[in-house]
Amino acid sequence: MNTAISKEDVYSILEKVSDPEVPVLSIIDLGVVRDVILSDDLVEVVITPTYTGCPAMDMIEVEIKATLQEHGFERTKITTILSPAWTTDWLSESGKQKLREYGIAPPQGAAKSKRALFSEESGIICPQCSSTNTEMVSQFGSTACKAQYKCLSCEEPFDYFKCH
Amino acid sequence: MKDHLYNFLLHLGDNALVLGHRLSEICGHGPILEQDMAMTNIALDLVGQSRNIFQYAARMKGGDTTEDTLAYLRDATAFKNVLLVEQKNGDFAKTILRQFLYDAYNYPLYKRLMNSSDKDLAAIAEKSIKEITYHLKWSSEWVIRLGDGTEESHNRMNNAIQDLWSYTGELFKYSDYEISCHESGILPDLNGIAEEWNAEVKNIFAEAGLEIPEKAWSHDGGKRGVHSEHLGFLLAEMQFLQRAYPGQEW
Ligand SMILES: [Zn+2]
């Protein structure tokens, strides 16, 4: 392997790997890449799952390996860690912007306990018309990371990438 | 290998897998689209949690054991899930109540497992707890909505309580492996979990206008592999592909 390769180079290659369920986000935007370890001719990428049952994770592993191979890295290893657990606090600012442009409301505020009964995240900004006059339809959406909301101003339904 | 830890992992993984499979049976049959999606989301979380647990158990066991052999190639008598989770879906009230009674137990259990002396298990618990928090919130809200809803929904909740209450005692009855795990600091005291469960159920039932049944006889056996007839049918469907076409992959 080219010894001039740095961690940053690997990170920028990983920017090309997108989340299969929200393809505007790279896995770097998503915050699932926790570390890159370079040793001899091996590139080890340490990742953490978003949700335990997220079917995208298996796909992401395959894509990381394939993308690194395209860039000349023959020996790669993916290590999955569970702790510390992933949180939407790790979503990058550019990732949030990309979500908004894609029509998904990005998480607002920091992840905290959702234990309170009937509590829902309010004042979520509609990605269509930017109104905050919105309400939750269901805390479970089309994928594990999203909740269903509707906008009372433009009357469009939308996905909210919920705080987790 | 620590047998008691391995058996306890199977117990935890089987609880999640069996309940996850039950909920997945509802996919496409939910009462309304949003709740169909909620139940399949919860199913996905639970199956995901069982995968993390089985992967760890398989590493511990070594040899040819994988998460797939644990899920697909064990017979009913080798499953250690509690009887509650294998009970059939029934109507929406029964599905909801089964979920709530389980979530109200799972939440305090996983909260404590985050401090387990076993670091791998603690990491799995840390990863799972946020999802379990969502589950408990969702099922609690529905118990209140149905209990405090129409006469029909209230009656259906009462029928569900009649059907399921006798399966709750088993949650807090120690199996041999749980005793050993408790003694080695892997598993916290089940009595503390029972107290939290009782308080939660009392609270939500009060808000839902539902009565907690008098203490009664309770079923057990699931933790040691003695199951109701429902589990065999569930496994026959879940394991069919790997039994009929061993080693088949997507
Ligand atoms: Zn709008």
Side-chain angles (χ1 to χ4, degrees):
Chain A
M1 193 178 79
N2 185 347
T3 47
I5 289 290
S6 68
K7 269 176 127 170
E8 284 66 34
D9 295 331
V10 177
Y11 271 101
S12 64
I13 292 167
L14 294 176
E15 283 278 3
K16 297 184 173 73
V17 179
S18 57
D19 173 358
E21 285 179 347
V22 189
V24 286
L25 289 184
S26 77
I27 57 171
I28 303 293
D29 291 326
L30 201 56
V32 300
V33 176
R34 304 316 299 160
D35 202 2
V36 169
I37 301 161
L38 302 169
S39 58
D40 299 328
D41 59 343
L42 180 74
V43 181
E44 181 179 356
V45 180
V46 181
I47 59 173
T48 192
T50 50
Y51 285 74
T52 52
C54 183
M57 294 310 295
D58 292 336
M59 187 73 184
I60 285 172
E61 285 191 29
V62 172
E63 302 253 314
I64 291 174
K65 288 196 159 225
T67 307
L68 287 173
Q69 233 145 39
E70 277 169 31
H71 287 80
F73 298 96
E74 288 305 322
R75 287 192 62 225
T76 55
K77 182 183 169 195
I78 313 287
T79 304
T80 300
I81 55 164
L82 297 177
S83 176
W86 179 83
T87 158
T88 42
D89 296 347
W90 295 348
L91 206 66
S92 71
E93 281 309 313
S94 83
K96 288 180 189 169
Q97 184 57 31
K98 289 180 200 169
L99 278 175
R100 206 173 289 119
E101 286 161 10
Y102 191 62
I104 298 172
Q108 288 176 214
K112 53 184 185 305
S113 171
K114 303 295 182 312
R115 186 62 191 88
L117 266 186
F118 295 105
S119 73
E120 57 179 78
E121 295 176 62
S122 59
I124 303 304
I125 301 165
C126 169
Q128 253 70 248
C129 73
S130 300
S131 167
T132 53
N133 188 16
T134 58
E135 69 178 26
M136 189 176 80
V137 177
S138 170
Q139 63 182 318
F140 296 97
S142 56
T143 62
C145 56
K146 289 179 247 149
Q148 300 174 67
Y149 271 71
K150 67 178 174 190
C151 177
L152 302 174
S153 298
C154 71
E155 299 189 332
E156 287 289 326
F158 65 91
D159 276 338
Y160 171 55
F161 203 107
K162 63 194 172 198
C163 284
H164 184 75
Chain B
M1 193 182 76
K2 296 177 200 155
D3 278 331
H4 57 280
L5 175 56
Y6 181 71
N7 286 328
F8 181 55
L9 289 173
L10 292 183
H11 161 69
L12 292 175
D14 291 342
N15 277 346
L17 180 64
V18 170
L19 186 57
H21 185 83
R22 274 288 182 235
L23 290 172
S24 76
E25 293 172 355
I26 297 167
C27 182
H29 302 275
I32 50 171
L33 182 63
E34 285 78 10
Q35 299 317 320
D36 191 293
M37 285 168 73
M39 288 183 278
T40 42
N41 265 276
I42 295 171
L44 198 61
D45 289 341
L46 290 170
V47 173
Q49 288 163 18
S50 76
R51 286 190 63 186
N52 284 337
I53 296 165
F54 287 155
Q55 284 165 6
Y56 177 32
R59 285 200 302 278
M60 194 180 290
K61 187 83 174 172
D64 295 334
T65 304
T66 66
E67 53 176 314
D68 285 337
T69 64
L70 291 175
Y72 295 128
L73 302 180
R74 281 181 303 143
D75 292 329
T77 51
F79 274 72
K80 301 184 192 309
N81 59 276
V82 290
L83 299 171
L84 177 68
V85 297
E86 70 199 43
Q87 299 309 304
K88 293 169 91 171
N89 291 326
D91 60 10
F92 187 57
K94 188 170 170 185
T95 303
I96 289 295
L97 185 71
R98 183 189 61 199
Q99 193 64 36
F100 171 67
L101 295 173
Y102 178 74
D103 292 339
Y105 154 77
N106 216 26
Y107 178 76
L109 171 64
Y110 274 69
K111 212 171 61 179
R112 287 165 173 77
L113 288 177
M114 287 167 70
N115 299 315
S116 172
S117 63
D118 186 81
K119 294 299 158 229
D120 290 275
L121 183 55
I124 291 171
E126 183 194 342
K127 181 65 211 163
S128 310
I129 193 73
K130 283 199 252 185
E131 295 161 8
I132 293 169
T133 308
Y134 280 128
H135 303 170
L136 177 58
K137 181 165 149 28
W138 177 81
S139 59
S140 305
E141 286 175 2
W142 274 102
V143 167
I144 295 169
R145 239 169 244 183
L146 296 176
D148 191 27
T150 63
E151 194 184 333
E152 173 82 16
S153 71
H154 181 84
N155 289 340
R156 282 176 186 252
M157 281 307 290
N158 274 331
N159 291 340
I161 294 170
Q162 288 293 321
D163 282 353
L164 294 175
W165 194 258
S166 58
Y167 295 101
T168 57
E170 186 191 12
L171 300 171
F172 311 107
K173 219 175 266 177
Y174 279 101
S175 59
D176 293 347
Y177 49 86
E178 283 170 309
I179 292 172
S180 304
C181 283
H182 178 51
E183 285 166 357
S184 52
I186 295 166
L187 169 69
D189 185 7
L190 289 184
N191 295 330
I193 298 172
E195 273 172 33
E196 208 172 317
W197 182 88
N198 277 313
E200 180 79 21
V201 173
K202 197 175 155 201
N203 211 355
I204 298 296
F205 272 30
E207 222 177 306
L210 297 166
E211 302 268 339
I212 291 185
E214 296 289 317
K215 223 175 169 55
W217 174 80
S218 78
H219 299 274
D220 68 64
K223 289 180 178 181
R224 54 175 202 276
V226 182
H227 293 278
S228 64
E229 73 275 23
H230 305 307
L231 185 67
F233 289 101
L234 182 149
L235 294 182
E237 183 175 304
M238 187 180 80
Q239 299 182 333
F240 170 78
L241 196 90
Q242 288 301 327
R243 298 285 196 181
Y245 305 98
Q248 192 63 245
E249 287 180 27
W250 290 109

